[in-house]
Amino acid sequence: MIRTVIIDDEAGGRNAIRIALERYFPEVAIEGIYDSPEKGIEGINTVKPDLAFLDIQMPHMSGFDLLQQISPVNFEVIFITAYDQYAIKAIRFSALDYLLKPVDVDDLRHAISRVKERLKGKDSSFQYQSVLNNVQQTAGKIERLAVPTLEGIEFFNTDDIIFCRAEGSYTSVMMKEKKPELVSHNLKDFENILHSSGFCRVHHSFLINMRHVLKYIKGEGGFVVMTDGHHVDVSRRKKEEFLKLLNKI
C-alpha cells in the first residue's frame, strides 16, 4: 500500500482527490487529509507517508514553503495547482509530477504510475531540492540553476552558460572556462526554464545566452559568434525573435 496524505486548503480540491483515490486506486491508503500547510506539516511528521498530494497555492505558506520546513523530503510528492506557469516549469525540469485543477483521472493515473516507479528504490530527495531552489527564483532571472543528476544536484551559474546544444534526449551545456556538461534533460526543458532569463532558442539544436553573443552576421537567418568563438546558426523562423532580444541588450 502507498500511505498517502492530502494537503489542500480548498475543500473541493481535497474531496476531488479523496474520491478519485478511493474509487480508482485501491493500492493508495489515505492516512490523513489536512486543510492547512501547518496541519499538513504535523500530519507528515506523524504519518510519515510514502506520498503527499500537495497544493501549491495556499494562504500564509505555499506548498513549496511547506517542503522547505521539512526538507530533506523523504517521501514522494504530487503537486496540485490551479495554474502557476513558472512553478510548473520548475517541477517539469526536476522530473516531478503535478496535477492541474480540476484533477483529471487519467492525469492522476499517470502521476501515480510514475510515483510507483520512483518508490521502487530511487532517491528523489535531490529532485525536490532542485525544484525548491529553482522555484525560489521566480522574481527576475535565474542566477543559479539546480540540475538533478544521478549523483545529486549540480548548480550552474547561468551567467557562465554560453549556450546549450541538443544531443538527442540530452543537452550539452557549454560553460565559460569549463568543459561541456552533458545533462539528461532535453533542450526544450532548458528553454522552458531559462527563456525569461536572457536565453533564446535560435535554432532547433541551440539555446544561446544572449549575454555571450559577441557578433551577429547577417544572412537568410544569419549566425552568431559567441564569446568562446563558437558559430551558431540562427534559423529563419527564429530570426525575428532573436533580433528583438538582441536590440534589448
Side-chain angles (χ1 to χ4, degrees):
M1 297 293 286
I2 301 173
R3 303 175 71 250
T4 301
V5 297
I6 300 169
I7 306 169
D8 190 334
D9 65 301
E10 297 180 352
R14 297 191 301 273
N15 288 332
I17 294 292
R18 177 186 59 78
I19 291 170
L21 292 177
E22 290 175 348
R23 183 173 297 172
Y24 300 108
F25 303 94
E27 71 274 28
V28 176
I30 301 173
E31 302 288 345
I33 301 177
Y34 309 99
D35 61 6
S36 74
E38 294 82 4
K39 293 178 183 177
I41 291 173
E42 293 179 7
I44 287 170
N45 289 333
T46 301
V47 173
K48 302 189 186 309
D50 303 310
L51 169 65
F53 287 88
L54 180 59
D55 189 20
I56 292 176
Q57 294 96 353
M58 293 185 286
H60 312 302
M61 185 189 301
S62 73
F64 297 118
D65 293 333
L66 180 153
L67 292 181
Q68 290 280 19
Q69 297 286 324
I70 55 177
S71 185
V73 179
N74 56 7
F75 52 91
E76 294 298 326
V77 178
I78 296 177
F79 296 97
I80 312 292
T81 180
Y83 192 69
D84 183 331
Q85 186 177 18
Y86 186 84
I88 287 174
K89 290 178 180 178
I91 292 167
R92 283 176 174 167
F93 191 81
S94 297
L96 297 171
D97 293 292
Y98 70 92
L99 297 171
L100 288 175
K101 293 181 178 181
V103 172
D104 178 82
V105 172
D106 286 335
D107 291 341
L108 178 59
R109 183 173 288 109
H110 291 315
I112 290 177
S113 176
R114 288 190 291 269
V115 163
K116 287 178 180 177
E117 288 300 313
R118 292 200 296 271
L119 285 172
K120 288 180 179 178
K122 179 182 174 183
D123 181 4
S124 300
S125 60
F126 289 118
Q127 291 170 276
Y128 292 107
Q129 291 176 37
S130 166
V131 75
L132 292 176
N133 177 88
N134 293 336
V135 81
Q136 287 174 342
Q137 303 181 79
T138 55
K141 75 181 185 72
I142 292 179
E143 295 181 354
R144 296 183 77 217
L145 180 64
V147 181
T149 68
L150 291 176
E151 293 77 26
I153 297 179
E154 187 160 354
F155 290 92
F156 293 167
N157 290 323
T158 55
D159 281 344
D160 292 340
I161 299 175
I162 299 172
F163 63 85
C164 302
R165 179 175 58 212
E167 303 282 357
S169 60
Y170 290 77
T171 297
S172 179
V173 181
M174 190 66 65
M175 307 284 290
K176 184 172 68 175
E177 300 176 354
K178 292 183 180 179
K179 293 190 296 185
E181 297 275 0
L182 189 64
V183 179
S184 59
H185 281 282
N186 62 41
L187 192 61
K188 184 65 176 177
D189 292 335
F190 279 92
E191 180 186 10
N192 284 338
I193 202 163
L194 291 176
H195 180 73
S196 59
S197 298
F199 286 72
C200 180
R201 182 81 173 265
V202 295
H203 188 275
H204 72 272
S205 295
F206 287 94
L207 176 73
I208 66 170
N209 187 340
M210 297 297 292
R211 295 180 292 280
H212 280 282
V213 172
L214 188 63
K215 186 186 300 184
Y216 170 63
I217 307 300
K218 294 180 180 179
E220 188 173 5
F223 67 90
V224 292
V225 180
M226 306 303 291
T227 53
D228 66 343
H230 271 90
H231 290 200
V232 178
D233 288 334
V234 178
S235 69
R236 284 182 297 171
R237 66 186 187 90
K238 293 291 186 178
K239 182 177 179 179
E240 183 178 354
E241 179 187 356
F242 165 73
L243 291 177
K244 284 181 181 178
L245 290 175
L246 190 64
N247 289 332
K248 293 178 181 179
I249 296 178

